[in-house]
């Protein structure tokens, strides 16, 4: 935590050139997310929002906490939308997408983190339920299953359950 390794993992997972290693990085990150202190640090640094945006293939929110002091952060956002969107488009002109296996493991990481009451609250604050619900309509059944399991874990929190109900 002191060396900001958690943020480095989140940034690494957002780089499409290393997609063959994303699952392994998520395994490491998953172990860290179970600890409420690590989860709090990731949330405060915008890593949780980037992680949730990454699994739904949307542009993550701007990192307001950096205040312009770290120029590397904006270029290494989740969802691979950092520098220019043109850098992250494949040959067909479409933005690059997260691999289904990575999405599945990311959902499992969120489910593991959501076993802790404090972590569930932090994930809820970042609208994690919305991202997981979006994945229920993913074409890959393994991603759907992992998202459903994560939603099941999140639903232990009554506020999350209400939020899930609002999203039908």
């Amino acid at each position: 935590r002191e060396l900001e390794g958690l943020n480095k993992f989140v940034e690494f997972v957002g780089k499409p050139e290393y997609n063959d290693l994303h699952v392994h990085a998520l395994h490491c990150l998953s172990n860290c997310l179970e600890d409420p202190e690590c989860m709090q640090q990731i949330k405060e640094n915008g890593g949780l929002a980037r992680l949730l945006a990454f699994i739904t293939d949307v542009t993550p929110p701007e990192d307001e906490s950096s205040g312009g002091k770290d120029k590397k952060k904006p270029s290494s956002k989740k969802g691979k939308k950092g520098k220019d969107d043109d850098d992250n488009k494949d040959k067909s002109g479409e933005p690059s997408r997260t691999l289904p296996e990575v999405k599945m493991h990311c959902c499992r990481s969120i489910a593991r983190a959501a076993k802790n009451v404090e972590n569930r609250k932090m994930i809820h604050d970042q609208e994690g339920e919305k991202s997981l619900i979006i994945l229920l309509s993913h074409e890959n059944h393994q991603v759907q299953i992992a998202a459903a399991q994560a939603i099941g874990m999140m639903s232990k929190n009554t506020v999350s359950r209400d939020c899930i109900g609002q999203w039908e």
Side-chain angles (χ1 to χ4, degrees), residues 45-88:
N45 292 330
L48 185 56
R50 291 192 321 256
L51 193 62
L52 292 169
F54 176 64
I55 63 173
T56 55
D57 294 320
V58 298
T59 303
E62 288 298 320
D63 186 9
E64 297 171 4
S65 63
S66 67
K69 64 183 176 184
D70 185 1
K71 295 188 180 199
K72 288 182 93 178
K73 279 190 179 180
S75 65
S76 58
K77 294 274 191 184
K78 285 283 158 239
K80 305 166 236 174
K81 311 280 192 279
K83 287 182 181 178
D84 292 316
D85 285 341
D86 294 338
D87 292 345
N88 298 313

Side-chain angles (χ1 to χ4, degrees), residues 102-118:
V102 175
K103 289 182 181 195
M104 179 186 64
H105 285 284
C106 194
C107 288
R108 288 181 180 168
S109 298
I110 292 169
R112 283 182 67 188
K115 290 179 181 178
N116 182 294
V117 176
E118 294 174 36

Side-chain angles (χ1 to χ4, degrees), residues 1-10 29 32-33 35-50 63 65 73 118-119 122 126:
R1 284 193 302 246
E2 291 175 9
L3 298 174
E4 296 184 21
L6 300 170
N7 290 332
K8 299 296 181 191
F9 273 120
V10 173
L29 194 58
C32 297
L33 289 177
D35 178 35
E37 291 178 21
C38 289
M39 178 67 103
Q40 182 65 36
Q41 182 181 6
I42 289 175
K43 180 186 171 200
E44 288 173 357
N45 292 330
L48 185 56
R50 291 192 321 256
D63 186 9
S65 63
K73 279 190 179 180
E118 294 174 36
N119 289 349
M122 286 184 253
Q126 299 294 313

